Amino acid sequence: MTTEFENPNFETLLSAAQINARVKELGTQITIDYAGREPILIGILKGACVFLSDLMREVNLKVSLEFMAVSSYGKAQKSSGEVRIIKDLDVAVEGKDLIVVEDIVDTGLTLSYLLANLQSRGANSVKLVSLLDKPEPRIVKELKIDYCGFQVPNKFVVGYGLDAAERYRNLPFIAIVKNPALA
Ligand code: IMP
Ligand code: MG
């Protein structure tokens, strides 16, 4: 029987072991950079949930956890840059150090809106950690990914939190979808 973890439409791009090793490195770097501070990790739902769960256990600091959910206007898969906040933070962030945790930066439109929005609330600092960076389709060229896991090619990827029509977030690895029409 073919299981979802061995779907022939997937080509493994990053194994669970590769992801795990890189997440440890990112956590260690954040631990060093934020020594003596108490940052708030802000996970962007839903895609960042798996990455955030692993990353936070590698950050050896007093951290707190928040979530935001955003949606691009319109039904197009490619975002327009207009972003609607579906779920906002539960706390005020004035004077706080914020680390936004995202699954993938593609055009950068969602993130550039979000980072500006958080900065406008009077945060002391706002940094971005993204597991994946897909640089080719970037529209917001000046967007800075402070902590980046991996650069990926301009292909549709799933797994480790990333979905295709809400499926495959549970894959323990990241795969390129060979034929998106079949995903
Ligand atoms: P953007 O950077 O504003 O274009 O939006 C990035 C968002 O698009 C991510 O948070 C993902 O939800 C989604 N996305 C972009 N590329 C992929 C992909 O290859 N697989 C799954 N979701 C993706
Ligand atoms: Mg996302």
Side-chain angles (χ1 to χ4, degrees), residues 105-107 133-139 141 152-155:
V105 180
D106 182 354
T107 63
D133 172 19
K134 199 193 272 183
E136 220 176 292
R138 188 84 84 251
I139 292 170
K141 305 279 187 203
V152 296
N154 193 13
K155 298 268 172 62

Side-chain angles (χ1 to χ4, degrees), residues 49-67:
C49 69
V50 181
F51 176 42
L52 176 66
S53 308
D54 285 345
L55 179 68
M56 65 193 226
R57 284 175 286 178
E58 303 294 341
V59 176
N60 190 356
L61 298 169
K62 289 194 180 77
V63 298
S64 55
L65 208 54
E66 286 290 325
F67 292 97

Side-chain angles (χ1 to χ4, degrees), residues 79 102-110 134 155-157 162-163:
S79 47
E102 179 60 302
D103 51 359
I104 184 167
V105 180
D106 182 354
T107 63
L109 290 167
T110 312
K134 199 193 272 183
K155 298 268 172 62
F156 198 77
V157 295
L162 291 126
D163 71 306

Side-chain angles (χ1 to χ4, degrees), residues 9-10 20 22 39 46 53 60 72 78 85 89 94 97 100 126 136 139-140 142 150 156 169-170 180 182-183:
N9 194 25
F10 297 156
N20 185 261
R22 186 71 185 119
K46 303 172 191 169
S53 308
N60 190 356
S72 301
K78 288 287 153 206
I85 295 176
L89 303 174
E94 202 178 334
D97 294 306
V100 174
V126 183
E136 220 176 292
I139 292 170
V140 187
E142 66 278 13
F150 303 93
F156 198 77
R169 295 192 197 276
N170 57 320
L182 300 177

Side-chain angles (χ1 to χ4, degrees), residues 4-20:
E4 278 315 314
F5 288 2
E6 288 124 37
N7 189 321
N9 194 25
F10 297 156
E11 178 193 332
T12 302
L13 179 67
L14 297 164
S15 69
Q18 282 176 295
I19 298 168
N20 185 261

